[in-house]
Amino acid sequence: MTTTTLDHAATDQGSSLKTKRVLLLKPRGFCAGVVRAIDVVQIALETFGAPIYVRKEIVHNSYVVTDLAKKGAIFVNELDEVPEGARVIYSAHGVSPAVRERAKERGLKVVDATCPLVTKVHVEAIKFAKQGYSLVLVGHRDHEEVEGTQGEAPSVTQVVSTVEEVEALVVPDPNKVAYLTQTTLSLDEARYMIEALKKKFPNIVGPHAQDICYATENRQTAVKNVAHGADVVLVVGSRNSSNSNRLVEVSQNLGTNSYLIDKAEDIKLEWLDGVDTVAVTAGASAPEVLVKDVVEYLQTKGYGSVDEVEVMPENVRFGLPPEIVQAIASAPQVSR
């Protein structure tokens, strides 16, 4: 496999007539928050032994969850399913204060794997609420991240998902409104929503830096840069992965057919009819092994040329949460 640049990819377009090819987007796949969350579960299993309970899916990817379950992680929907006094890990998407309080009531040993970029939004919600603002949270109501953020100030927070919902908003003081966004929104979607909010509430305030995370932005930017040179874009990711779904939307909005797949077996042959160039990317919670399987499958279908197209470098790393660092330092190692 060769690594190429966008310019190289563009000048090579004529060769697609001779060789069907794959454009493998970079950056793709795991973000720093996902790596950290998965590491937390694996280290907890190695340090304390199974079972380790995890509230919700640690990240939104079925392959990852199944793999960790095989190693001894037990995934639950609510803390009431966790035995009193047991150890539980919060997912990368964060939890509300009500969940934290319930953990205390049940005497649970908590390890918090919330992504630091989600924690940033929680801190902003608390700050704005304390300053007396009505909060508008742009995001998808049924997503765990939104539920957690809204829970920081539920009495003053309204969630909006469409411009129509923005227009219907009613707040006590239109001059005292703040907005926040889910970290995994489409950049374009967020921009339209924020523009609508500013039109309705001219004095609205927002975070100093955007809430949409670096990995979400980078993966969308990569798709935007490459979609025009592909006939089809395949996004590796699970159905409940917000950022993966947004990658599909970004491609489709640019007029390039795009499909979300969990694994290579999900690819339908009719998607490849008359297709010379397939771009492949992966959502921030999808492991590289699944991308590799997709590329190998495409190679069996005649896509013999694979070019990795790096749109931008990505070198973000997050440290482990203090609970797990302290636990590693003090706990006896489980014999293997």
Side-chain angles (χ1 to χ4, degrees):
M1 182 174 68
T2 59
T3 299
T4 186
T5 63
L6 283 174
D7 291 339
H8 182 196
T11 57
D12 271 1
Q13 284 300 312
S15 66
S16 66
L17 297 173
K18 300 173 185 175
T19 306
K20 295 198 295 186
R21 65 186 192 144
V22 175
L23 299 178
L24 186 56
L25 275 58
K26 186 179 181 180
R28 62 181 178 274
F30 281 176
C31 64
V34 165
V35 170
R36 177 179 184 265
I38 294 170
D39 283 350
V40 165
V41 179
Q42 291 180 331
I43 292 169
L45 286 166
E46 292 168 3
T47 304
F48 306 112
I52 295 290
Y53 292 87
V54 184
R55 183 184 180 274
K56 307 292 187 180
E57 293 187 350
I58 187 68
V59 298
H60 286 157
N61 184 269
S62 56
Y63 178 95
V64 170
V65 170
T66 300
D67 182 60
L68 291 173
K70 289 176 183 175
K71 295 174 180 176
I74 297 176
F75 293 90
V76 299
N77 282 319
E78 297 302 339
L79 295 184
D80 289 348
E81 301 170 55
V82 180
E84 287 197 11
R87 185 168 276 101
V88 66
I89 297 174
Y90 295 152
S91 80
H93 309 104
V95 298
S96 69
V99 172
R100 297 183 189 279
E101 188 59 36
R102 185 60 178 151
K104 286 182 184 177
E105 291 171 2
R106 295 183 57 77
L108 302 178
K109 301 181 187 75
V110 171
V111 179
D112 191 350
T114 301
C115 175
L117 299 180
V118 173
T119 299
K120 165 188 172 285
V121 183
H122 281 234
V123 170
E124 290 165 345
I126 295 166
K127 179 192 74 173
F128 283 131
K130 284 183 176 177
Q131 292 173 349
Y133 285 91
S134 296
L135 267 174
V136 179
L137 177 56
V138 180
H140 304 122
R141 283 181 186 80
D142 57 349
H143 195 279
E144 289 146 40
E145 181 190 325
V146 169
E147 292 171 358
T149 303
Q150 185 178 19
E152 294 290 359
S155 62
V156 298
T157 305
Q158 298 183 69
V159 179
V160 292
S161 302
T162 65
V163 170
E164 290 74 22
E165 289 177 352
V166 169
E167 292 168 353
L169 281 171
V170 177
V171 296
D173 182 356
N175 293 312
K176 194 75 172 177
V177 183
Y179 74 85
L180 299 170
T181 75
Q182 183 178 336
T183 63
T184 53
L185 294 181
S186 145
L187 292 168
D188 295 330
E189 175 186 15
R191 186 176 72 251
Y192 296 142
M193 295 291 286
I194 292 167
E195 286 173 356
L197 283 165
K198 288 180 176 177
K199 183 177 178 182
K200 185 172 178 70
F201 304 112
N203 294 323
I204 196 169
V205 296
H208 290 299
Q210 71 171 21
D211 291 329
I212 294 174
C213 86
Y214 78 94
T216 296
E217 178 173 5
N218 289 351
R219 282 148 190 71
Q220 290 179 22
T221 300
V223 169
K224 286 183 176 182
N225 275 271
V226 176
H228 66 278
D231 302 304
V232 166
V233 175
L234 296 179
V235 178
V236 182
S238 290
R239 295 283 163 196
N240 60 341
S241 167
S242 176
N243 74 87
S244 299
N245 279 286
R246 303 295 81 77
L247 292 174
V248 173
E249 290 173 5
V250 166
S251 176
Q252 291 176 340
N253 288 341
L254 292 170
T256 303
N257 286 335
S258 184
Y259 304 97
L260 181 64
I261 55 173
D262 244 321
K263 54 191 182 301
E265 291 83 354
D266 296 338
I267 299 172
K268 296 183 179 178
L269 284 176
E270 58 260 34
W271 298 346
L272 305 178
D273 284 348
V275 168
D276 289 322
T277 304
V278 179
V280 176
T281 188
S285 50
E288 183 66 13
V289 63
L290 299 181
V291 177
K292 183 171 176 285
D293 288 346
V294 167
V295 171
E296 288 177 353
Y297 172 84
L298 290 171
Q299 287 178 312
T300 69
K301 301 303 176 186
Y303 295 85
S305 171
V306 180
D307 287 329
E308 187 169 64
V309 183
E310 182 167 8
V311 177
M312 67 198 70
E314 188 174 274
N315 300 299
V316 179
R317 298 289 183 271
F318 293 141
L320 293 168
E323 306 99 323
I324 204 79
V325 173
Q326 292 161 10
I328 291 168
S330 60
Q333 292 294 309
V334 175
S335 57
R336 301 186 190 185

